[in-house]
Amino acid sequence: MSTSTVLVTGCSQGLGYHCVKALISKSETSPSDQPSSSIPKVIFACRNPTSSSQAAETLLSSLPVDSDKELVKKSLIIPTEPCDLASLESVRKYAAEVISFLESENLKLNALVLNAGIGGLPSHTITKDGYDLIFQTNHLGHFLLTILLLPYTAPNSRIVVVSSEVHDPDAKTTLPDPGQDFPKTGDAEEWNKYLARGDPLPIDGVSTAGTRRYSRSKLCNVLFTYQLARILSGATPSNCAEEVARASKSMTDNNSCKLPHANTMKVVVMNPGLMLETGFVKAIAGGIISNLAYYLTPVIRYLTPLGRLMRTADESGAALARLAVSPQHEDKNAVYFNGDESHPSSAFSRELESVTKRQVELWERSIQWAQVTQDELRRAKLI
């Protein structure tokens, strides 16, 4: 059995770290009779390669005593280039190093796990590329990385995008509805101002502007997933109405990617839930509050309304790893998951205008915003 190759963004801590932990533990992702030599190669994609090395050391030290630590160590690949998703230049340099590695080892990517992200910061930061920090980190950087690495994916490979329940107002997370006053189709000024730059909406105050930027970035993750799935294989979003599915199938971008294996690829999106022990939550809620809440997790999880959103990082990391490599999900495409259970995404993301117009416009504008060149599009067989 050949070894698979998986790239995970944001895996030096939090959900991504626990995903890698599950990937190198065959009991989490593989049949019990699968040989240990089939542990996947995991390529780290993190802002700080030193943190990646430290995370790898921690992972190795946490393995059972009877593990083949040398084998696992060889499977953890840490590029020297940082992958700063908030910098288009950094993403391109990182991708170039990964491509060089894949070519030198005669490898293809079997899974691309787009996990890294930042939360709804109260401050509004514009990157050197001119975009909102949250939007560029959570969506645009991943968009560019995907385009650059598409030519180096394997047949039957998977792309797993990490979103959040906050993209769906029906989840009642208390965050602003990302679909409210979403940029109008064809209105370049609104798309640039309120999405790419993240300027506050007229309805937002200081307290909601940052959290809306975050919830909108997570909605973009869902729209990106559905558009990429359609471009690769003609897939329609799961749980959409019949008329929406018919309209999607009639779009000219169906299966428009001409990579020989494009129609074998699968793209799914995941909500990992609220994980109180991660640095992501601590950055938003503060360390003392999140640590206290973590120790009270059993009470919060089963006795309060908030509990329905909660999971441990171990649980969500294992679920994310299964979506990337487990045979149980090999036929899933354009599906939204809560953990690793399929679930409808927001009504907004599945409505006719989103499927036929908004996700298309997000894709086309992202090409412009990420400054994707004609050569890069040609290499990915997108033109």
Side-chain angles (χ1 to χ4, degrees), residues 61-222:
S61 65
S62 69
L63 291 172
V65 293
D66 60 346
S67 300
D68 188 341
K69 293 191 178 183
E70 279 304 310
L71 176 65
V72 175
K73 186 176 182 178
K74 290 178 182 177
S75 76
L76 301 179
I77 311 301
I78 302 173
T80 58
E81 281 288 344
C83 182
D84 181 359
L85 294 164
S87 165
L88 300 178
E89 180 183 18
S90 174
V91 171
R92 283 189 165 88
K93 287 181 177 179
Y94 170 81
E97 181 176 347
V98 170
I99 291 167
S100 177
F101 168 76
L102 294 172
E103 290 178 336
S104 67
E105 298 291 323
N106 195 27
L107 295 172
K108 295 287 187 182
L109 289 171
N110 301 95
L112 182 58
V113 180
L114 306 178
N115 158 74
I118 57 175
L121 306 172
S123 59
H124 185 196
T125 301
I126 300 297
T127 68
K128 68 176 183 179
D129 296 308
Y131 306 118
D132 169 53
L133 176 64
I134 297 171
F135 175 77
Q136 185 164 350
T137 301
N138 294 0
H139 165 69
L140 193 60
H142 278 135
F143 174 88
L144 176 60
L145 184 65
T146 301
I147 298 298
L148 297 175
L149 295 180
L150 268 182
Y152 304 92
T153 54
N156 302 304
S157 54
R158 306 180 203 178
I159 298 174
V160 185
V161 184
V162 175
S163 180
S164 169
E165 67 274 315
V166 304
H167 92 281
D168 186 359
D170 288 342
K172 302 187 186 307
T173 64
T174 75
L175 267 68
D177 177 0
Q180 184 180 14
D181 290 345
F182 197 81
K184 292 188 288 291
T185 302
D187 191 326
E189 182 180 359
E190 285 198 3
W191 282 79
N192 289 324
K193 183 176 181 180
Y194 295 124
L195 194 62
R197 279 207 317 271
D199 289 0
L201 294 175
I203 60 175
D204 280 330
V206 175
S207 62
T208 58
T211 49
R212 191 183 303 276
R213 284 192 287 270
Y214 175 64
S215 63
R216 280 198 165 178
S217 74
K218 296 289 98 180
L219 173 59
C220 287
N221 293 151
V222 178

